[in-house]
Amino acid sequence: MNQASANQQRLMARAKAVIPGGVSSPVRAFGSVGGTPVFVARAEGNRVFDIDGTDYVDLVCSWGPALLGHAHPTVVGAVQAAAAQGLSFGAPTSAEVDLATLIRERVPAAERVRFVSTGTEATMTAIRLARGATDRPLIVKFAGLYHGHSDALLAAAGSGLATAGLPGSAGVTEATAAETIVLPYNDVAALEETFVTHGERVAAVITEAVPANMGVVPPAPGFNEAIRRVTTEHGALMIFDEVMTGFRVGPAGWWGVEAGVENPTYTPDIFTFGKVVGGGMPLAALGGRAGIMELLAPVGPVYQAGTLSGNPLATAAGIATLQLADDHVYDLVNRRSKEVQDAVGAALTQAGVPHVLQNAGNLFSVFFRDEPVRNYDDAKAQDTAAFAAFFHAMLDGGVALPPSAFEAWFLSAAHDDEAMQRISDALPAAAAAAAAAR
Ligand SMILES: *Cc1c(COP(=O)(O)O)cnc(C)c1O
């Protein structure tokens, strides 16, 4: 395991004295890989720099937002210009209109867009909206999928809960948990059976466009379409969580990649966006059919609000990011993603480490097991000790991976040949460490 510097260890001790676990979000704590988290001082392009000035090629990219690379000068410039005009007004701005328009141009099915500050708020609002629209209580979600940390959505959730091996969260009442039905992913029969029994009481099925919070588990061909068909048959809504995939896997997110924008093979009722759409600032959104979205206050009876919603600095970052994220950017990220997958696969094969690489567009992750992963049970059956050894050896080699076996890896348009070389150079020792840890 890499040895954190005395500096880092001292800071972690100070952090733990004032912040639970020393972190503002659990996965950052290195809980499942061991050791002391890297405290980051700054980031630029494909690199993050820790408080000692050591740099790492970053494959976390802030868990997705840094599609263009860190501190892109145009995005930073846009935020600085916005900041000079005032940080927050609590009043509507033209920038919100511009960003909502950019979103609708890319995802025409998002006819109306409401801005919030986090992905958690976006999915929480989507669920309230679905219940308000249908006057039904139940929500269906899939095991291992993560939709933020609102009470209704924490059952069998991925991301930090998967990393920590938790079934759910303390503090969620039985009454709330009972209104969420959890099904295995990629299982159309289970979905159909649930609707036969509970169909008249289900407000919505919420799904990640591509599950990427238990590692990347692509939807089986036709699975998202099946969700659309079953929900339509029973008068329930389909909520498509693109917080991770939206504007990252393509200009119109996974919906654009899989369903197509022109004559889509399926269209969800409500989309949720986050991460890339805020360009690294706290901004997220939900969008969908006008008839549903206009049930939101002040037009309709479903209440939702936010002091900092549509914040001018965040909208400026989002606009600059979407304007820069053209076909060239997506081609570049797709290509780099493929290069990293090939290099990782070759190194692990060479070292004799069982592994499966899974991808959906440029999103990918590595499972340390020899069978494909179709659902959460499969994802849990991987060698997390091998991952921990691999992770720390990569860190020693100057490459920062997500500190969990249950997360996607992220590339950006700023990952250049030099970054690729650093990754290639670090891989043999990391693969050997994984082989030794099995
Ligand atoms: C990150 C994520 C969320 C939660 O977003 P936050 O901004 O962390 O609250 C919701 N859904 C998916 C699919 C995510 O990846």
Side-chain angles (χ1 to χ4, degrees), residues 76-378:
V76 172
V79 172
Q80 284 170 335
Q85 304 300 317
L87 302 182
S88 174
F89 315 126
T93 64
S94 66
E96 292 165 86
V97 183
D98 293 342
L99 184 55
T101 304
L102 281 174
I103 292 171
R104 195 176 64 181
E105 279 167 11
R106 285 170 172 242
V107 184
E111 294 173 354
R112 301 288 184 277
V113 176
R114 170 62 52 92
F115 292 114
V116 293
S117 299
T118 66
T120 294
E121 271 184 274
T123 56
M124 181 184 78
T125 303
I127 276 177
R128 187 179 306 136
L129 185 53
R131 285 175 167 152
T134 58
D135 199 21
R136 297 174 176 187
L138 302 180
I139 299 295
V140 173
K141 82 175 282 286
F142 299 102
L145 276 63
Y146 182 68
H147 304 289
H149 63 93
S150 70
D151 285 4
L153 296 173
L154 277 180
S159 191
L161 285 134
T163 304
L166 299 171
S169 171
V172 176
T173 63
E174 271 174 43
T176 297
E179 291 185 326
T180 304
I181 298 172
V182 181
L183 298 179
Y185 190 68
N186 269 334
D187 187 340
V188 178
L191 183 67
E192 284 172 339
E193 275 164 37
T194 296
F195 269 87
V196 168
T197 316
H198 302 287
E200 290 185 352
R201 302 184 67 226
V202 175
V205 175
I206 184 168
T207 188
E208 283 186 60
V210 174
N213 283 287
M214 53 174 161
V216 174
V217 180
F223 187 64
N224 282 326
E225 279 176 88
I227 295 173
R228 175 69 286 178
R229 173 177 54 76
V230 173
T231 47
T232 303
E233 278 169 13
H234 293 271
L237 301 188
M238 176 178 181
I239 302 171
F240 211 46
D241 185 352
E242 294 235 35
V243 170
M244 177 85 86
T245 47
F247 315 116
R248 171 161 272 282
V249 297
W254 183 252
W255 182 65
V257 171
E258 189 182 59
V261 173
E262 292 299 327
N263 287 299
T265 53
Y266 63 89
T267 300
D269 299 291
I270 304 173
F271 295 80
T272 54
F273 305 110
K275 298 191 168 98
V276 170
V277 78
M281 295 288 289
L283 182 138
L286 60 154
R289 275 215 317 276
I292 292 172
M293 289 298 292
E294 294 196 337
L295 294 172
L296 286 174
V299 194
V302 178
Y303 197 73
Q304 185 280 332
T307 303
L308 296 176
S309 292
N311 174 268
L313 276 60
T315 39
I319 291 168
T321 299
L322 290 191
Q323 283 175 340
L324 288 165
D326 57 10
D327 289 344
H328 174 69
V329 162
Y330 292 110
D331 287 347
L332 210 56
V333 175
N334 292 351
R335 179 156 65 81
R336 292 307 187 188
S337 165
K338 177 89 175 49
E339 285 174 15
V340 174
Q341 291 179 60
D342 289 348
V344 171
L348 290 174
T349 301
Q350 172 80 27
V353 180
H355 66 278
V356 194
L357 278 149
Q358 296 198 170
N359 65 61
N362 59 40
L363 271 187
F364 73 99
S365 69
V366 184
F367 292 97
F368 286 83
R369 57 175 259 145
D370 44 20
E371 300 279 323
V373 172
R374 295 192 69 236
N375 56 39
Y376 195 32
D377 284 341
D378 292 350

